[in-house]
């Protein structure tokens, strides 16, 4: 009798690819559901309207793996212009419900919708009339039927081979929460400058600083008139040590720019008689003071011959500052 053929177990890379494909199927199903205005898409739009309409904060909650997702979504909401905080369901039953005020809304994550630890939070919302938004995969669950608005995600199989460990479901929750945060961000008109105000630390904070925050101003700006002899231009450039001099007209507007490169190219001139207007660049690159410092760096590097300094102009075309490449490097942008 021939023994049955032995099927080798899948290799780790096969397992990994299968896991990603199953989770991707969950995300695709979620995207399709969000495109349905009569289903999840319509509920999503209602959720955005509810959260935009409150005068308080969003209390985000969940426990277990859903709790970890809830913490991440809360952090994303807070950093993108939607005031929020995380409340642990178990601690809520022991006094932390006092954190949730009447003007707040509650956003609860639970895949099954039967998480017993969320019962007290749901009851609190019913007593106080706070909006309770439930993100769950079971439309008939206790949480979904108790909620002001049920946001029912597609029921998809977990990537775990036992179908037990939250994998696909938590990824879908995470994507849904991100979609909610981004929709609120767009509706609020939240800007990169506001984002930078919430992220002042580290490299991200540095890249979100504006030119106004790092530029040289006042007497630190190297400036001179068009009829200034080049000998004096060189003295101004040397004294201010920014590698350039701005040439200003009668109304204080920036009429041109002389860089140390321009000086080198003008060495065949008689510097005792040559004037600034004879060698200046009449169309220098300039920048707005409220542009991000990271954008200033891109402007400097965009040309075939990168520049090391940019004059910063007000709406009248008058110089109000100079930003140098070294300033951007010191600020952590470069």
């Amino acid at each position: 009798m021939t023994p049955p053929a032995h099927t080798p177990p899948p290799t780790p890379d096969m397992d990994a690819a299968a896991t990603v494909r199953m989770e991707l199927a969950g995300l695709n199903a979620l995207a399709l559901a969000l495109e349905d205005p009569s289903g999840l898409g319509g509920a999503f739009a209602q959720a955005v309207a509810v959260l935009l309409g409150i005068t308080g904060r969003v209390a985000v909650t969940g426990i277990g793996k859903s709790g970890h997702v809830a913490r991440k979504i809360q952090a994303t909401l807070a950093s993108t212009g939607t005031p929020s905080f995380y409340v642990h369901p178990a601690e809520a039953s022991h006094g932390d419900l006092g954190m949730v005020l009447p003007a707040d809304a509650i956003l609860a994550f639970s895949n099954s919708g039967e998480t017993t630890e969320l019962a007290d939070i749901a009851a609190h919302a019913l007593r106080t009339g706070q909006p309770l938004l439930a993100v769950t995969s079971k439309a008939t669950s206790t949480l979904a039927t108790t909620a002001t608005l049920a946001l029912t995600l597609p029921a998809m199989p977990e990537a775990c081979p036992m179908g037990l460990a939250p994998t696909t479901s938590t990824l879908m929750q995470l994507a849904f929460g991100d979609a909610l945060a981004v929709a609120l961000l767009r509706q609020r008109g939240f800007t990169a400058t506001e984002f930078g105000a919430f992220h002042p630390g580290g490299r991200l904070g540095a890249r979100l600083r504006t030119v106004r925050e790092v530029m040289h101003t006042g007497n630190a700006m190297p400036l001179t008139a068009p009829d200034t002899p080049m000998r004096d231009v060189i003295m101004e450039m040397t004294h201010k040590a920014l590698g350039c001099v701005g040439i200003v007209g009668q109304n204080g507007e920036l009429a041109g720019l002389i860089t140390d490169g321009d000086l080198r190219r003008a060495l065949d001139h008689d510097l005792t008689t040559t004037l600034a207007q004879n060698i200046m660049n009449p169309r220098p690159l300039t920048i707005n003071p409220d542009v991000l410092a990271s954008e200033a760096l891109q402007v400097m590097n965009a040309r075939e011959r990168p520049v090391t300094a940019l004059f910063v102009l007000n709406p009248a075309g008058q110089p109000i500052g100079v930003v140098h490449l070294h300033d951007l490097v010191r600020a952590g942008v470069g």
Side-chain angles (χ1 to χ4, degrees):
M1 181 175 179
T2 304
H6 175 68
T7 302
T11 60
D13 57 323
M14 292 170 60
D15 271 341
T19 298
V20 172
R21 277 194 290 268
M22 289 191 71
E23 294 194 339
L24 181 59
L27 292 178
N28 286 331
L30 175 61
L32 287 173
L34 285 167
E35 291 173 350
D36 180 7
S38 63
L40 183 58
F44 181 89
Q46 292 179 54
V48 171
V50 168
L51 296 182
L52 286 173
I54 63 171
T55 57
R57 301 167 298 168
V58 181
V60 189
T61 189
I63 201 164
K65 303 302 185 293
S66 293
H68 294 302
V69 171
R71 287 182 184 274
K72 188 274 176 189
I73 296 307
Q74 181 274 314
T76 301
L77 288 169
S79 70
T80 53
T82 299
S84 60
F85 63 98
Y86 174 79
V87 58
H88 193 286
E91 296 296 338
S93 300
H94 294 276
D96 278 4
L97 277 174
M99 299 163 58
V100 187
L101 302 179
D104 298 335
I106 300 171
L107 178 63
F109 288 84
S110 171
N111 185 45
S112 68
E114 300 295 345
T115 306
T116 56
E117 291 87 350
L118 290 174
D120 288 338
I121 292 180
H124 178 76
L126 286 175
R127 285 195 304 270
T128 60
Q130 291 160 321
L132 172 60
L133 312 183
V135 182
T136 177
S137 295
K138 304 290 174 58
T140 58
S141 65
T142 302
L143 181 63
T145 55
T146 303
T148 310
L149 179 63
L151 300 153
T152 308
L153 308 186
M156 298 294 289
E158 303 287 8
C160 165
M162 298 175 291
L164 300 176
T167 45
T168 306
S169 61
T170 48
L171 182 62
M172 292 167 65
Q173 288 178 344
L174 186 65
F176 182 87
D178 283 343
L180 189 59
V182 171
L184 289 166
L185 176 156
R186 291 184 184 278
Q187 290 297 311
R188 295 183 193 279
F190 194 72
T191 65
T193 300
E194 292 172 299
F195 189 82
F198 295 156
H199 298 77
R203 185 171 176 83
L204 178 59
R207 293 185 66 83
L208 291 172
R209 296 175 71 182
T210 63
V211 168
R212 190 186 299 276
E213 296 176 78
V214 297
M215 68 185 186
H216 300 267
T217 61
N219 291 333
M221 290 189 293
L223 298 173
T224 192
D227 58 355
T228 303
M230 284 306 301
R231 178 180 54 194
D232 295 333
V233 172
I234 294 172
M235 292 295 293
E236 177 73 356
M237 185 182 295
T238 303
H239 179 63
K240 301 297 174 63
L242 291 176
C244 64
V245 174
I247 313 302
V248 292
Q250 292 182 349
N251 297 321
E253 76 284 2
L254 186 70
L257 179 71
I258 296 175
T259 66
D260 51 6
D262 295 323
L263 284 180
R264 289 192 297 271
R265 287 185 287 273
L267 287 178
D268 58 345
H269 291 65
D270 182 353
L271 297 185
T272 61
T273 58
T274 302
L275 304 179
Q277 62 192 3
N278 299 138
I279 69 167
M280 71 180 189
N281 173 8
R283 292 183 296 277
L285 283 176
T286 60
I287 201 160
N288 183 287
D290 297 316
V291 166
L292 294 178
S294 57
E295 293 182 36
L297 183 61
Q298 293 176 5
V299 172
M300 289 180 177
N301 291 325
R303 306 186 73 178
E304 184 179 348
R305 290 184 177 180
V307 300
T308 58
L310 295 170
F311 266 87
V312 186
L313 307 185
N314 65 16
Q318 299 164 329
I320 58 173
V322 183
V323 60
H324 194 278
L325 176 62
H326 293 167
D327 303 321
L328 301 178
V329 172
R330 279 193 294 268
V333 178

